[in-house]
Amino acid sequence: MDITIWYLKISKLALAFAIIHSKPPGKSCKEYTEHLAKTVSEQDFGWISRVEVLEAEVLRLRQELLLSKICPRFCLKNGKPDASAETLLDQECVNPVSYSSQLEDSGCDVSNDCHNIDTSKHWLETLPPLNICCTSKEESLTAPVQFLQHLLEIRKLSEGGTLQADFTELENDSFTVCSSVSQLLDGLTIFYKSPKFPVSNFLTEAVCVLISLITDTKLSNHVLKKCFKKLEEFKKNLIQIILRNSSVNRFQALHAVSHTLALLGRNNILRNSLISLLLSEVRQFAEQLLQAQQIQAMYDVTQYENIFPLCMILEQLLQNGTEESNVSSSDYDGEEKIKFLKNLDQLILHLSDEFPLVSLYLWRVNVLLNSAQIQID
């Protein structure tokens, strides 16, 4: 260990002498060192960019390979379905998939949020080729969205008997599906952190594809099994984006994020964990508010304003839970529910004079929790 430290010191000393001897006239040693460091960092950044491009290309090829393994007749040539697959569709006259209609069937309110896909053309003809050339945040979503669209369409066509598909291949290559879903979630997170309005149709479609994927009876099992932690991280990120947004004109952005959270919560598997996260955030904020009130301290006005979208989502999810008779309660221990309800009456009483709106939401959530026949993790 001592020898290693000695060699490290000698190397640093040798580097210092080399910089001093090679220093051009008119520059100090500090300026020349900073110039060399900047040059090296730029070279490193260039290599990092090249690696990212190559990784994206490898993922695209894996996506095409996986699709061809699942359904050989759906093989892609240069990112497009081959002629035999399109001919097959022409012969069978298959109705295209509408992701918006799928969301409506699953109980999601998608009016004015998830646009309908053009039904005047066969679905495979409307799907753009897989593409990894990214020049914007939106284009970075192109490859995962299109891959998942292809996957959903194969699922739909195989269900109708038009195509033969072997979805056990998803188990053999879970990396490709997980990477695609992760790319989609990361891209949406980046957009929600610094959104631009009006939201483009493509970004709306990206959300619709995600919801279609996690509500599909067959594909959702594969996705949730392999990507559950990533989806949990995505939900936590969205909640924090809502709480921390301090922009003056933030309410349109908050609505977009809130809507996506609500759609995620309509999935039976994801709903309960989302309710747990929301209960925890609302409870902690109410306790902080009470503490600030008791010691006459200032409270975070921005967070106070932003907590109400979370309360509305929580109320909506609990209402949906009480209305659906097929929600199982045996898989959840209700830990967050117990924490939330503990001393809640006293909390509402103490906050009611100074913060009546917060107290009202707490009371409404209390009523829903006590009336719902579900338990929350």
Side-chain angles (χ1 to χ4, degrees):
M1 190 65 182
D2 293 337
I3 296 176
T4 304
I5 295 174
W6 183 80
Y7 274 116
L8 180 61
K9 289 181 178 179
I10 292 296
S11 299
K12 288 181 178 179
L13 185 61
L15 178 62
F17 276 117
I19 291 173
I20 292 171
H21 284 293
S22 62
K23 177 182 71 68
K27 274 193 176 184
S28 67
C29 290
K30 181 181 179 181
E31 290 173 341
Y32 186 53
T33 303
E34 290 175 349
H35 168 72
L36 292 175
K38 183 179 179 182
T39 303
V40 172
S41 64
E42 287 176 351
Q43 291 175 352
D44 289 343
F45 180 77
W47 280 109
I48 291 172
S49 299
R50 291 180 188 179
V51 169
E52 289 176 349
V53 170
L54 291 174
E55 286 178 343
E57 174 65 13
V58 169
L59 179 59
R60 183 186 68 80
L61 293 173
R62 292 189 66 149
Q63 289 170 344
E64 293 186 5
L65 179 61
L66 179 58
L67 289 175
S68 66
K69 286 182 177 179
I70 293 173
C71 182
R73 298 195 69 179
F74 193 84
C75 65
L76 296 170
K77 294 180 179 179
N78 298 321
K80 298 181 180 180
D82 70 354
S84 63
E86 294 189 8
T87 303
L88 181 61
L89 285 181
D90 291 335
Q91 292 173 349
E92 297 292 338
C93 298
V94 177
N95 291 324
V97 175
S98 171
Y99 292 113
S100 298
S101 65
Q102 285 185 356
L103 294 179
E104 289 165 359
D105 292 341
S106 66
C108 297
D109 178 13
V110 293
S111 57
N112 300 322
D113 287 283
C114 290
H115 66 282
N116 289 320
I117 298 172
D118 183 9
T119 58
S120 62
K121 297 181 180 180
H122 292 310
W123 176 252
L124 289 182
E125 296 172 356
T126 66
L127 282 177
L130 299 181
N131 184 6
I132 62 164
C133 298
C134 303
T135 58
S136 69
K137 295 176 184 176
E138 183 174 307
E139 289 182 2
S140 67
L141 292 173
T142 302
V145 168
Q146 290 175 358
F147 166 69
L148 296 173
Q149 281 177 330
H150 285 302
L151 195 61
L152 285 162
E153 179 57 17
I154 291 176
R155 163 80 174 98
K156 185 70 175 180
L157 295 177
S158 65
E159 188 179 42
T162 306
L163 290 175
Q164 295 294 322
D166 180 13
F167 286 97
T168 58
E169 290 293 338
L170 292 174
E171 294 292 339
N172 300 329
D173 189 8
S174 59
F175 171 83
T176 300
V177 177
C178 289
S179 297
S180 302
V181 173
S182 295
Q183 274 191 351
L184 176 56
L185 297 179
D186 290 341
L188 289 174
T189 301
I190 291 171
F191 167 75
Y192 286 132
K193 284 182 177 178
S194 55
K196 293 182 180 179
F197 294 97
V199 177
S200 68
N201 286 340
F202 179 77
L203 283 166
T204 303
E205 189 65 26
V207 174
C208 292
V209 167
L210 173 62
I211 304 305
S212 296
L213 191 67
I214 64 175
T215 54
D216 184 274
T217 54
K218 194 165 189 176
L219 295 179
S220 62
N221 293 331
H222 296 283
V223 174
L224 294 174
K225 187 188 301 182
K226 304 295 182 181
C227 309
F228 187 78
K229 288 185 178 179
K230 187 67 180 181
L231 286 163
E232 288 294 288
E233 179 187 335
F234 179 62
K235 289 186 293 184
K236 290 177 182 178
N237 287 336
L238 295 189
I239 290 173
Q240 292 306 312
I241 288 171
I242 291 176
L243 287 174
R244 296 175 181 177
N245 194 329
S246 58
S247 172
V248 175
N249 300 317
R250 65 183 179 274
F251 297 103
Q252 190 177 9
L254 293 183
H255 174 74
V257 181
S258 299
H259 180 71
T260 300
L261 269 176
L263 288 177
L264 289 171
R266 297 292 180 89
N267 174 275
N268 286 340
I269 297 176
L270 297 177
R271 175 197 293 136
N272 291 281
S273 62
L274 177 56
I275 292 177
S276 292
L277 291 172
L278 293 172
L279 282 175
S280 177
E281 290 293 343
V282 172
R283 175 181 56 81
Q284 291 179 43
F285 176 76
E287 291 174 351
Q288 292 170 7
L289 206 59
L290 177 60
Q291 185 179 8
Q293 182 190 49
Q294 290 173 340
I295 63 175
Q296 298 297 309
M298 294 293 293
Y299 62 90
D300 191 331
V301 177
T302 298
Q303 195 172 17
Y304 173 83
E305 293 175 344
N306 293 349
I307 200 69
F308 294 111
L310 297 186
C311 290
M312 287 186 280
I313 297 169
L314 179 57
E315 185 178 2
Q316 179 185 346
L317 295 177
L318 289 172
Q319 285 175 339
N320 292 339
T322 59
E323 292 168 1
E324 295 181 11
S325 59
N326 61 338
V327 178
S328 172
S329 62
S330 60
D331 297 332
Y332 306 100
D333 58 20
E335 181 181 350
E336 282 300 332
K337 177 180 177 180
I338 295 170
K339 288 181 180 178
F340 187 87
L341 293 176
K342 184 179 181 181
N343 302 323
L344 183 60
D345 291 338
Q346 290 296 318
L347 187 61
I348 293 174
L349 180 63
H350 290 305
L351 293 176
S352 58
D353 288 338
E354 192 169 347
F355 305 103
L357 189 55
V358 173
S359 299
L360 177 61
Y361 270 109
L362 291 175
W363 175 78
R364 290 166 67 165
V365 171
N366 180 33
V367 172
L368 287 169
L369 283 173
N370 286 318
S371 62
Q373 296 302 312
I374 60 173
Q375 288 183 325
I376 308 142
D377 184 12

